[in-house]
Amino acid sequence: MPARSRRSAADGGALMHPTQLPQWAIDRVIARHGRRFIFDRIEPARTALVVIDMQQFFTQSDSALAMPEAREIIPTINRAAEGLRAAGGTVAWVVTHLSEGAREWRTLTSVAHPGERADVVRAGLSAASPMGELDPALDRRAGDLFAVKDRFSAFLPGASPLPEMLRARGIDTVLIAGTLTNVCCESSARDAMMANYGVVMLSDANATRTDAEHLAALAGFLATFGDVQTVDEALSHLAVPAGAGR
């Protein structure tokens, strides 16, 4: 497993996922596009930061499925949101809400969350549960979009109103952040690409349970489906009009 990188002692020495992608994936992009970044000019007015499933069910330490890695990326997500908003872009928050008997429940109970775990997941991600709400440390603003999904992917047809909301704002490029990197985030990113969006997965604003899963998901996505950038790289690629601040 790749070694984790550590934040500074001032940040408590918390463990973070590495962001250095395997060279083979980078080489493939360069061979195809002649440059490292596929999207090296991002139009803010046509771009949305789509934040997936940053709910208390994953971020809070007292949750049955607590994931410290998700909690750690909140400041990075907030920084991405602030930077894109300042440049004239859109921020969209997406949550998963499940209900027993609904169409998604059959798949989740038979494959992803069998047995007693299924009841824990359904209870934690129900619309009535506080654990199903966004983490309060996230910087959600009044002008942001908010959408509920009932599948892993927010861009699967019929799973969420998000695609229609984005199209109504003229959005054709999405920056994907949230949790889990290799489940709902990757599923959403791949489906967005196949729905003709330009897609960038933010390597330091996604989180999952292990470094290996995180890097494998990002490398696979970069090799075929879209771009992978850090938040700083993506913000540096914003094509901000002259005279506008970031």
Side-chain angles (χ1 to χ4, degrees):
M1 180 183 298
R4 287 181 182 270
S5 57
R6 289 183 178 271
R7 291 192 289 188
S8 67
D11 293 319
L15 296 174
M16 302 291 288
H17 288 309
T19 59
Q20 181 59 49
L21 299 174
Q23 193 61 44
W24 67 263
I26 295 172
D27 290 344
R28 188 171 299 179
V29 170
I30 295 173
R32 288 177 175 173
H33 298 274
R35 59 189 188 276
R36 162 62 182 88
F37 296 111
I38 301 169
F39 300 107
D40 55 6
R41 182 179 173 83
I42 300 170
E43 299 290 341
R46 299 168 61 182
T47 300
L49 171 67
V50 177
V51 184
I52 304 290
D53 291 353
M54 288 297 292
Q55 294 158 264
Q56 296 183 66
F57 186 62
F58 299 111
T59 62
Q60 294 299 311
S61 59
D62 59 344
S63 169
L65 260 67
M67 195 176 71
E69 293 85 351
R71 181 75 180 177
E72 290 175 2
I73 63 172
I74 289 177
T76 309
I77 290 174
N78 287 343
R79 182 160 55 84
E82 179 182 12
L84 185 56
R85 286 195 203 97
T90 295
V91 178
W93 305 93
V94 181
V95 299
T96 297
H97 284 164
L98 304 174
S99 59
E100 189 171 10
R103 66 189 180 98
E104 78 282 359
W105 197 238
R106 292 187 297 275
T107 300
L108 289 177
T109 53
S110 64
V111 179
H113 300 294
E116 294 181 0
R117 179 185 175 97
D119 293 331
V120 172
V121 172
R122 179 175 60 83
L125 294 179
S126 73
S129 171
M131 287 294 180
E133 298 177 359
L134 287 170
D135 191 287
L138 292 163
D139 184 20
R140 183 181 173 189
R141 302 287 181 87
D144 296 346
L145 300 178
F146 179 82
V148 175
K149 64 182 176 70
D150 62 8
R151 293 284 181 172
F152 288 155
S153 170
F155 289 88
L156 185 72
S160 164
L162 179 67
E164 290 76 18
M165 298 166 74
L166 296 179
R167 295 297 188 195
R169 290 199 180 191
I171 302 297
D172 62 13
T173 301
V174 292
L175 313 178
I176 301 293
T179 196
L180 280 66
T181 312
N182 57 319
V183 185
C184 291
C185 296
E186 183 182 12
S187 296
S188 296
R190 290 187 179 215
D191 282 348
M193 177 269 191
M194 289 185 280
N196 295 319
Y197 290 88
V199 186
V200 178
M201 291 192 75
L202 299 175
S203 58
D204 55 348
N206 278 271
T208 188
R209 299 195 178 280
T210 68
D211 291 347
E213 290 171 282
H214 180 73
L215 290 177
L218 295 179
F221 183 81
L222 178 64
T224 303
F225 293 92
D227 213 343
V228 176
Q229 303 181 20
T230 65
V231 167
D232 284 344
E233 288 166 345
L235 292 179
S236 75
H237 293 148
L238 294 178
V240 181
R246 283 190 181 175

